[in-house]
Amino acid sequence: MKKEDVTCSECGAGFRRIELASQPGTKGEYHCSACGEVLEKFDGSALVAYRLTIHPSIKAIREY
C-alpha cells in the first residue's frame, strides 16, 4: 500500500491518495471535487482512492 498527499494545481485543494497494488482498480479519471481539474488517469492496474483533506481557499474557488 502506498500513501501520499496530492495537491490540485488549479485550486490548491489537498487530497490523501491511497493505492493498493494487490487489488485491481477501475479504468478512468479522478477529478478535483472543488474545481473539476483532472488529478489522475487510472489504467485499472491498482485500486486507488482519494479523500479531500484540505479545502481550497474561497478566493481560489471564486476565480472559477
Side-chain angles (χ1 to χ4, degrees), residues 8-12 34-37 56-64:
C8 177
S9 62
E10 289 297 314
C11 71
C35 72
E37 180 72 13
S57 69
I58 298 299
K59 181 181 175 185
I61 293 173
R62 287 183 182 162
E63 293 176 5
Y64 297 102

Side-chain angles (χ1 to χ4, degrees), residues 1 13 30 38 57:
M1 175 171 49
Y30 184 78
V38 175
S57 69

